[in-house]
Amino acid sequence: QEQFVESGGGLVQPGGSLRLSCVASESDVRDTNMSWYWQPPRKQRELVARLNRDGSTSYLVSLKGRFTVSKDNAKNTVYLQMDSLKPEDTARYYCLSSRPGARWGRGTQVTVSS
């Protein structure tokens, strides 16, 4: 059974926006730090945004101001709002809990191209 189910990716033009969703368990969303990662083509997976349990957030420095992480505890969902998208944002995006033993989901593909 998948622990994290990402969705919302797709093909978008430069300058456009997407909102990614990650459905997880109630305990993961409510009680752990939830993070979004990306893996661009031919590159390693990298942390892009984190939403800590206390509500604080952190971002990859180069992305700050364009990406926003949030959650809805009632829906067991974590979001990544991505604005002003650039071709270099093209990647497969994954979410993950800080819970020990958390396993990667399948991710969702974002392609930014005209």
Side-chain angles (χ1 to χ4, degrees):
Q1 183 177 358
E2 293 183 345
Q3 298 180 358
F4 307 100
V5 181
E6 301 94 343
S7 64
L11 174 64
V12 62
Q13 292 187 344
S17 297
L18 282 175
R19 188 178 77 159
L20 306 184
S21 300
C22 169
V23 178
S25 70
E26 178 180 1
S27 58
D28 275 342
V29 175
R30 185 187 61 207
D31 298 330
T32 71
N33 304 329
M34 292 293 297
S35 297
W36 282 96
Y37 292 77
W38 70 1
Q39 187 165 16
R42 298 174 296 282
K43 294 186 179 180
Q44 292 188 339
R45 202 169 297 183
E46 182 179 27
L47 177 68
V48 298
R50 172 170 290 150
L51 176 57
N52 295 316
R53 181 181 175 183
D54 64 2
S56 61
T57 58
S58 60
Y59 297 92
L60 187 65
V61 172
S62 61
L63 298 176
K64 194 171 182 179
R66 296 194 296 119
F67 286 19
T68 305
V69 61
S70 63
K71 68 177 180 178
D72 185 335
N73 286 337
K75 296 182 179 180
N76 299 337
T77 301
V78 180
Y79 302 101
L80 184 67
Q81 177 68 40
M82 306 186 297
D83 298 317
S84 302
L85 283 163
K86 304 176 181 180
E88 52 263 42
D89 298 325
T90 294
R92 195 159 190 88
Y93 287 73
Y94 301 84
C95 69
L96 193 70
S97 163
S98 59
R99 168 179 50 84
R103 298 192 304 271
W104 295 103
R106 298 181 181 181
T108 186
Q109 178 67 36
V110 172
T111 302
V112 184
S113 175
S114 55

